[in-house]
Structure formats: structure tokens, C-alpha cells
PDB file of all heavy atoms in Angstrom:
ATOM      1  N   LEU A 641     121.080  96.304 101.357  1.00 96.00           N
ATOM      2  CA  LEU A 641     120.125  97.344 101.753  1.00 96.00           C
ATOM      3  C   LEU A 641     120.893  98.340 102.726  1.00 96.00           C
ATOM      4  O   LEU A 641     121.806  97.845 103.425  1.00 96.00           O
ATOM      5  CB  LEU A 641     119.006  96.788 102.501  1.00 96.00           C
ATOM      6  CG  LEU A 641     118.148  95.704 101.872  1.00 96.00           C
ATOM      7  CD1 LEU A 641     117.091  95.176 102.826  1.00 96.00           C
ATOM      8  CD2 LEU A 641     117.452  96.216 100.579  1.00 96.00           C
ATOM      9  N   VAL A 642     120.429  99.552 102.820  1.00 97.00           N
ATOM     10  CA  VAL A 642     120.920 100.461 103.882  1.00 97.00           C
ATOM     11  C   VAL A 642     119.742 100.849 104.656  1.00 97.00           C
ATOM     12  O   VAL A 642     118.698 101.364 104.027  1.00 97.00           O
ATOM     13  CB  VAL A 642     121.634 101.643 103.226  1.00 97.00           C
ATOM     14  CG1 VAL A 642     122.100 102.654 104.313  1.00 97.00           C
ATOM     15  CG2 VAL A 642     122.855 101.182 102.396  1.00 97.00           C
ATOM     16  N   ILE A 643     119.777 100.719 105.977  1.00 96.00           N
ATOM     17  CA  ILE A 643     118.665 101.000 106.903  1.00 96.00           C
ATOM     18  C   ILE A 643     119.135 101.862 107.977  1.00 96.00           C
ATOM     19  O   ILE A 643     120.151 101.656 108.600  1.00 96.00           O
ATOM     20  CB  ILE A 643     118.067  99.685 107.487  1.00 96.00           C
ATOM     21  CG1 ILE A 643     117.586  98.733 106.286  1.00 96.00           C
ATOM     22  CG2 ILE A 643     116.994  99.996 108.386  1.00 96.00           C
ATOM     23  CD1 ILE A 643     117.228  97.388 106.826  1.00 96.00           C
ATOM     24  N   PRO A 644     118.373 103.018 108.290  1.00 92.00           N
ATOM     25  CA  PRO A 644     118.673 103.854 109.415  1.00 92.00           C
ATOM     26  C   PRO A 644     118.371 103.139 110.753  1.00 92.00           C
ATOM     27  O   PRO A 644     117.284 102.748 111.014  1.00 92.00           O
ATOM     28  CB  PRO A 644     117.832 105.052 109.227  1.00 92.00           C
ATOM     29  CG  PRO A 644     116.682 104.557 108.444  1.00 92.00           C
ATOM     30  CD  PRO A 644     117.169 103.460 107.616  1.00 92.00           C
ATOM     31  N   VAL A 645     119.420 102.942 111.578  1.00 86.00           N
ATOM     32  CA  VAL A 645     119.268 102.268 112.843  1.00 86.00           C
ATOM     33  C   VAL A 645     119.986 103.199 113.897  1.00 86.00           C
ATOM     34  O   VAL A 645     121.140 103.393 113.870  1.00 86.00           O
ATOM     35  CB  VAL A 645     119.974 100.891 112.859  1.00 86.00           C
ATOM     36  CG1 VAL A 645     119.809 100.245 114.249  1.00 86.00           C
ATOM     37  CG2 VAL A 645     119.440  99.975 111.783  1.00 86.00           C
ATOM     38  N   ASP A 646     119.092 103.704 114.825  1.00 86.00           N
ATOM     39  CA  ASP A 646     119.592 104.564 115.808  1.00 86.00           C
ATOM     40  C   ASP A 646     120.436 105.718 115.245  1.00 86.00           C
ATOM     41  O   ASP A 646     121.499 106.040 115.775  1.00 86.00           O
ATOM     42  CB  ASP A 646     120.437 103.838 116.912  1.00 86.00           C
ATOM     43  CG  ASP A 646     119.599 102.731 117.606  1.00 86.00           C
ATOM     44  OD1 ASP A 646     118.348 102.952 117.785  1.00 86.00           O
ATOM     45  OD2 ASP A 646     120.113 101.708 117.901  1.00 86.00           O
ATOM     46  N   GLY A 647     119.975 106.283 114.230  1.00 87.00           N
ATOM     47  CA  GLY A 647     120.637 107.465 113.585  1.00 87.00           C
ATOM     48  C   GLY A 647     121.825 107.195 112.751  1.00 87.00           C
ATOM     49  O   GLY A 647     122.494 108.102 112.173  1.00 87.00           O
ATOM     50  N   THR A 648     122.191 105.873 112.517  1.00 92.00           N
ATOM     51  CA  THR A 648     123.275 105.543 111.694  1.00 92.00           C
ATOM     52  C   THR A 648     122.723 104.693 110.523  1.00 92.00           C
ATOM     53  O   THR A 648     121.939 103.818 110.659  1.00 92.00           O
ATOM     54  CB  THR A 648     124.206 104.581 112.547  1.00 92.00           C
ATOM     55  OG1 THR A 648     124.663 105.354 113.704  1.00 92.00           O
ATOM     56  CG2 THR A 648     125.428 104.151 111.647  1.00 92.00           C
ATOM     57  N   GLN A 649     123.324 104.981 109.335  1.00 95.00           N
ATOM     58  CA  GLN A 649     122.977 104.172 108.120  1.00 95.00           C
ATOM     59  C   GLN A 649     123.705 102.868 108.235  1.00 95.00           C
ATOM     60  O   GLN A 649     124.949 102.886 108.039  1.00 95.00           O
ATOM     61  CB  GLN A 649     123.284 105.034 106.863  1.00 95.00           C
ATOM     62  CG  GLN A 649     122.609 106.287 106.733  1.00 95.00           C
ATOM     63  CD  GLN A 649     121.087 106.138 106.566  1.00 95.00           C
ATOM     64  OE1 GLN A 649     120.638 105.225 105.834  1.00 95.00           O
ATOM     65  NE2 GLN A 649     120.294 106.878 107.278  1.00 95.00           N
ATOM     66  N   THR A 650     123.003 101.797 108.388  1.00 94.00           N
ATOM     67  CA  THR A 650     123.632 100.441 108.577  1.00 94.00           C
ATOM     68  C   THR A 650     123.399  99.658 107.362  1.00 94.00           C
ATOM     69  O   THR A 650     122.317  99.564 106.837  1.00 94.00           O
ATOM     70  CB  THR A 650     122.980  99.738 109.880  1.00 94.00           C
ATOM     71  OG1 THR A 650     123.186 100.668 111.040  1.00 94.00           O
ATOM     72  CG2 THR A 650     123.677  98.468 110.083  1.00 94.00           C
ATOM     73  N   LYS A 651     124.465  98.923 106.906  1.00 96.00           N
ATOM     74  CA  LYS A 651     124.321  98.146 105.696  1.00 96.00           C
ATOM     75  C   LYS A 651     124.022  96.685 106.187  1.00 96.00           C
ATOM     76  O   LYS A 651     124.515  96.138 107.086  1.00 96.00           O
ATOM     77  CB  LYS A 651     125.688  98.104 104.965  1.00 96.00           C
ATOM     78  CG  LYS A 651     125.968  99.374 104.258  1.00 96.00           C
ATOM     79  CD  LYS A 651     127.233  99.273 103.420  1.00 96.00           C
ATOM     80  CE  LYS A 651     127.503 100.618 102.735  1.00 96.00           C
ATOM     81  NZ  LYS A 651     128.750 100.546 101.911  1.00 96.00           N
ATOM     82  N   TYR A 652     123.087  96.046 105.351  1.00 96.00           N
ATOM     83  CA  TYR A 652     122.694  94.666 105.529  1.00 96.00           C
ATOM     84  C   TYR A 652     122.766  93.947 104.154  1.00 96.00           C
ATOM     85  O   TYR A 652     122.545  94.590 103.121  1.00 96.00           O
ATOM     86  CB  TYR A 652     121.301  94.639 106.033  1.00 96.00           C
ATOM     87  CG  TYR A 652     121.106  95.128 107.468  1.00 96.00           C
ATOM     88  CD1 TYR A 652     120.836  96.533 107.654  1.00 96.00           C
ATOM     89  CD2 TYR A 652     121.219  94.254 108.570  1.00 96.00           C
ATOM     90  CE1 TYR A 652     120.698  96.940 108.977  1.00 96.00           C
ATOM     91  CE2 TYR A 652     121.054  94.767 109.823  1.00 96.00           C
ATOM     92  CZ  TYR A 652     120.838  96.129 110.015  1.00 96.00           C
ATOM     93  OH  TYR A 652     120.660  96.675 111.236  1.00 96.00           O
ATOM     94  N   LYS A 653     122.910  92.652 104.228  1.00 97.00           N
ATOM     95  CA  LYS A 653     122.762  91.865 103.010  1.00 97.00           C
ATOM     96  C   LYS A 653     121.508  90.869 103.315  1.00 97.00           C
ATOM     97  O   LYS A 653     121.203  90.505 104.388  1.00 97.00           O
ATOM     98  CB  LYS A 653     123.975  91.018 102.647  1.00 97.00           C
ATOM     99  CG  LYS A 653     124.378  90.035 103.665  1.00 97.00           C
ATOM    100  CD  LYS A 653     125.619  89.320 103.058  1.00 97.00           C
ATOM    101  CE  LYS A 653     126.199  88.377 104.116  1.00 97.00           C
ATOM    102  NZ  LYS A 653     127.384  87.757 103.546  1.00 97.00           N
ATOM    103  N   VAL A 654     120.843  90.617 102.228  1.00 97.00           N
ATOM    104  CA  VAL A 654     119.621  89.802 102.318  1.00 97.00           C
ATOM    105  C   VAL A 654     119.995  88.401 102.267  1.00 97.00           C
ATOM    106  O   VAL A 654     120.798  87.871 101.452  1.00 97.00           O
ATOM    107  CB  VAL A 654     118.784  90.125 101.045  1.00 97.00           C
ATOM    108  CG1 VAL A 654     117.491  89.178 100.995  1.00 97.00           C
ATOM    109  CG2 VAL A 654     118.305  91.505 101.038  1.00 97.00           C
ATOM    110  N   VAL A 655     119.516  87.608 103.255  1.00 95.00           N
ATOM    111  CA  VAL A 655     119.874  86.158 103.395  1.00 95.00           C
ATOM    112  C   VAL A 655     118.632  85.316 103.350  1.00 95.00           C
ATOM    113  O   VAL A 655     118.715  84.111 103.335  1.00 95.00           O
ATOM    114  CB  VAL A 655     120.704  85.812 104.708  1.00 95.00           C
ATOM    115  CG1 VAL A 655     122.145  86.594 104.628  1.00 95.00           C
ATOM    116  CG2 VAL A 655     119.982  86.261 105.938  1.00 95.00           C
ATOM    117  N   GLY A 656     117.475  85.994 103.346  1.00 95.00           N
ATOM    118  CA  GLY A 656     116.260  85.295 103.164  1.00 95.00           C
ATOM    119  C   GLY A 656     115.191  86.154 102.532  1.00 95.00           C
ATOM    120  O   GLY A 656     115.095  87.357 102.865  1.00 95.00           O
ATOM    121  N   ILE A 657     114.326  85.588 101.751  1.00 97.00           N
ATOM    122  CA  ILE A 657     113.259  86.350 101.074  1.00 97.00           C
ATOM    123  C   ILE A 657     111.856  85.528 101.292  1.00 97.00           C
ATOM    124  O   ILE A 657     111.797  84.393 100.839  1.00 97.00           O
ATOM    125  CB  ILE A 657     113.479  86.469  99.588  1.00 97.00           C
ATOM    126  CG1 ILE A 657     114.878  87.180  99.356  1.00 97.00           C
ATOM    127  CG2 ILE A 657     112.315  87.278  98.912  1.00 97.00           C
ATOM    128  CD1 ILE A 657     115.357  87.065  97.919  1.00 97.00           C
ATOM    129  N   GLN A 658     110.970  86.174 102.039  1.00 96.00           N
ATOM    130  CA  GLN A 658     109.761  85.446 102.386  1.00 96.00           C
ATOM    131  C   GLN A 658     108.485  86.247 102.004  1.00 96.00           C
ATOM    132  O   GLN A 658     107.995  86.918 102.831  1.00 96.00           O
ATOM    133  CB  GLN A 658     109.775  85.263 103.934  1.00 96.00           C
ATOM    134  CG  GLN A 658     110.854  84.354 104.373  1.00 96.00           C
ATOM    135  CD  GLN A 658     111.025  84.229 105.870  1.00 96.00           C
ATOM    136  OE1 GLN A 658     110.336  84.943 106.662  1.00 96.00           O
ATOM    137  NE2 GLN A 658     111.809  83.259 106.379  1.00 96.00           N
ATOM    138  N   PRO A 659     108.054  86.045 100.753  1.00 96.00           N
ATOM    139  CA  PRO A 659     106.746  86.674 100.368  1.00 96.00           C
ATOM    140  C   PRO A 659     105.624  85.995 101.074  1.00 96.00           C
ATOM    141  O   PRO A 659     105.700  84.733 101.302  1.00 96.00           O
ATOM    142  CB  PRO A 659     106.697  86.542  98.841  1.00 96.00           C
ATOM    143  CG  PRO A 659     107.648  85.421  98.558  1.00 96.00           C
ATOM    144  CD  PRO A 659     108.675  85.418  99.652  1.00 96.00           C
ATOM    145  N   ASP A 660     104.604  86.808 101.529  1.00 92.00           N
ATOM    146  CA  ASP A 660     103.530  86.192 102.255  1.00 92.00           C
ATOM    147  C   ASP A 660     102.271  86.009 101.404  1.00 92.00           C
ATOM    148  O   ASP A 660     101.287  85.484 101.918  1.00 92.00           O
ATOM    149  CB  ASP A 660     103.227  86.962 103.549  1.00 92.00           C
ATOM    150  CG  ASP A 660     102.563  88.331 103.269  1.00 92.00           C
ATOM    151  OD1 ASP A 660     102.316  88.647 102.127  1.00 92.00           O
ATOM    152  OD2 ASP A 660     102.388  89.164 104.259  1.00 92.00           O
ATOM    153  N   GLY A 661     102.329  86.373 100.154  1.00 90.00           N
ATOM    154  CA  GLY A 661     101.069  86.153  99.288  1.00 90.00           C
ATOM    155  C   GLY A 661     100.061  87.276  99.430  1.00 90.00           C
ATOM    156  O   GLY A 661      99.077  87.245  98.678  1.00 90.00           O
ATOM    157  N   THR A 662     100.296  88.229 100.196  1.00 89.00           N
ATOM    158  CA  THR A 662      99.295  89.362 100.377  1.00 89.00           C
ATOM    159  C   THR A 662      99.842  90.714  99.773  1.00 89.00           C
ATOM    160  O   THR A 662      99.210  91.723  99.887  1.00 89.00           O
ATOM    161  CB  THR A 662      98.981  89.622 101.891  1.00 89.00           C
ATOM    162  OG1 THR A 662     100.102  90.130 102.505  1.00 89.00           O
ATOM    163  CG2 THR A 662      98.489  88.389 102.495  1.00 89.00           C
ATOM    164  N   GLY A 663     101.094  90.640  99.255  1.00 91.00           N
ATOM    165  CA  GLY A 663     101.675  91.908  98.727  1.00 91.00           C
ATOM    166  C   GLY A 663     102.821  92.366  99.656  1.00 91.00           C
ATOM    167  O   GLY A 663     103.492  93.343  99.355  1.00 91.00           O
ATOM    168  N   LEU A 664     103.105  91.635 100.680  1.00 94.00           N
ATOM    169  CA  LEU A 664     104.274  92.042 101.616  1.00 94.00           C
ATOM    170  C   LEU A 664     105.293  90.883 101.483  1.00 94.00           C
ATOM    171  O   LEU A 664     105.008  89.734 101.267  1.00 94.00           O
ATOM    172  CB  LEU A 664     103.734  92.110 103.031  1.00 94.00           C
ATOM    173  CG  LEU A 664     102.861  93.380 103.319  1.00 94.00           C
ATOM    174  CD1 LEU A 664     102.348  93.261 104.752  1.00 94.00           C
ATOM    175  CD2 LEU A 664     103.677  94.638 103.084  1.00 94.00           C
ATOM    176  N   THR A 665     106.528  91.210 101.676  1.00 96.00           N
ATOM    177  CA  THR A 665     107.668  90.382 101.681  1.00 96.00           C
ATOM    178  C   THR A 665     108.522  90.724 102.924  1.00 96.00           C
ATOM    179  O   THR A 665     108.839  91.863 103.086  1.00 96.00           O
ATOM    180  CB  THR A 665     108.470  90.456 100.373  1.00 96.00           C
ATOM    181  OG1 THR A 665     107.765  90.059  99.334  1.00 96.00           O
ATOM    182  CG2 THR A 665     109.669  89.580 100.530  1.00 96.00           C
ATOM    183  N   THR A 666     108.878  89.664 103.680  1.00 96.00           N
ATOM    184  CA  THR A 666     109.780  89.887 104.776  1.00 96.00           C
ATOM    185  C   THR A 666     111.192  89.465 104.305  1.00 96.00           C
ATOM    186  O   THR A 666     111.379  88.328 103.789  1.00 96.00           O
ATOM    187  CB  THR A 666     109.401  89.003 105.968  1.00 96.00           C
ATOM    188  OG1 THR A 666     108.169  89.463 106.420  1.00 96.00           O
ATOM    189  CG2 THR A 666     110.344  89.207 107.154  1.00 96.00           C
ATOM    190  N   LEU A 667     112.108  90.429 104.441  1.00 97.00           N
ATOM    191  CA  LEU A 667     113.498  90.080 104.176  1.00 97.00           C
ATOM    192  C   LEU A 667     114.290  89.840 105.367  1.00 97.00           C
ATOM    193  O   LEU A 667     114.303  90.567 106.355  1.00 97.00           O
ATOM    194  CB  LEU A 667     114.126  91.420 103.405  1.00 97.00           C
ATOM    195  CG  LEU A 667     113.425  91.860 102.134  1.00 97.00           C
ATOM    196  CD1 LEU A 667     114.032  93.217 101.679  1.00 97.00           C
ATOM    197  CD2 LEU A 667     113.447  90.787 101.089  1.00 97.00           C
ATOM    198  N   ILE A 668     114.986  88.686 105.385  1.00 94.00           N
ATOM    199  CA  ILE A 668     115.852  88.280 106.498  1.00 94.00           C
ATOM    200  C   ILE A 668     117.147  88.867 106.192  1.00 94.00           C
ATOM    201  O   ILE A 668     117.747  88.691 105.061  1.00 94.00           O
ATOM    202  CB  ILE A 668     115.880  86.721 106.687  1.00 94.00           C
ATOM    203  CG1 ILE A 668     114.488  86.106 106.544  1.00 94.00           C
ATOM    204  CG2 ILE A 668     116.673  86.335 107.910  1.00 94.00           C
ATOM    205  CD1 ILE A 668     113.566  86.568 107.697  1.00 94.00           C
ATOM    206  N   LEU A 669     117.738  89.492 107.181  1.00 95.00           N
ATOM    207  CA  LEU A 669     118.964  90.420 106.887  1.00 95.00           C
ATOM    208  C   LEU A 669     120.130  89.905 107.833  1.00 95.00           C
ATOM    209  O   LEU A 669     119.883  89.315 108.873  1.00 95.00           O
ATOM    210  CB  LEU A 669     118.688  91.856 107.211  1.00 95.00           C
ATOM    211  CG  LEU A 669     117.438  92.406 106.429  1.00 95.00           C
ATOM    212  CD1 LEU A 669     117.126  93.754 107.052  1.00 95.00           C
ATOM    213  CD2 LEU A 669     117.667  92.429 104.959  1.00 95.00           C
ATOM    214  N   LEU A 670     121.327  90.249 107.345  1.00 92.00           N
ATOM    215  CA  LEU A 670     122.587  90.043 108.139  1.00 92.00           C
ATOM    216  C   LEU A 670     123.328  91.379 108.023  1.00 92.00           C
ATOM    217  O   LEU A 670     123.603  91.825 106.888  1.00 92.00           O
ATOM    218  CB  LEU A 670     123.304  88.860 107.566  1.00 92.00           C
ATOM    219  CG  LEU A 670     124.599  88.542 108.238  1.00 92.00           C
ATOM    220  CD1 LEU A 670     124.312  88.035 109.628  1.00 92.00           C
ATOM    221  CD2 LEU A 670     125.363  87.422 107.458  1.00 92.00           C
ATOM    222  N   ALA A 671     123.707  91.944 109.156  1.00 89.00           N
ATOM    223  CA  ALA A 671     124.507  93.161 109.100  1.00 89.00           C
ATOM    224  C   ALA A 671     125.893  92.867 108.491  1.00 89.00           C
ATOM    225  O   ALA A 671     126.482  91.812 108.756  1.00 89.00           O
ATOM    226  CB  ALA A 671     124.647  93.692 110.529  1.00 89.00           C
ATOM    227  N   ILE A 672     126.416  93.893 107.750  1.00 91.00           N
ATOM    228  CA  ILE A 672     127.663  93.740 107.144  1.00 91.00           C
ATOM    229  C   ILE A 672     128.597  94.951 107.439  1.00 91.00           C
ATOM    230  O   ILE A 672     128.138  95.951 107.862  1.00 91.00           O
ATOM    231  CB  ILE A 672     127.565  93.500 105.543  1.00 91.00           C
ATOM    232  CG1 ILE A 672     126.854  94.638 104.980  1.00 91.00           C
ATOM    233  CG2 ILE A 672     126.985  92.203 105.271  1.00 91.00           C
ATOM    234  CD1 ILE A 672     126.820  94.581 103.369  1.00 91.00           C
TER     235      ILE A 672
END
């Protein structure tokens, strides 16, 4: 994923996937 953090496009990789059953998913990330 690429996420804007403090004005910089920061790359992350997904290390965890946690769907909550309501239509939302929390992705656990690690900066690369």
C-alpha cells in the first residue's frame, strides 16, 4: 500500500488482515 504520511507517500506491506464482520477490515502494516 502507499499511504500519505506527513506529506510523504510512504510504502507499507500488509502483515495482518483483520475483518471485523461489519464491512470494515483493519490492515496491520509494516513500513518498507
Side-chain angles (χ1 to χ4, degrees):
L641 306 172
V642 178
I643 301 175
V645 179
D646 298 327
T648 301
Q649 298 296 317
T650 305
K651 290 184 181 182
Y652 292 88
K653 66 180 171 182
V654 176
V655 295
I657 304 166
Q658 301 176 343
D660 70 3
T662 68
L664 291 170
T665 295
T666 299
L667 304 173
I668 310 301
L669 306 173
L670 181 64
I672 55 175

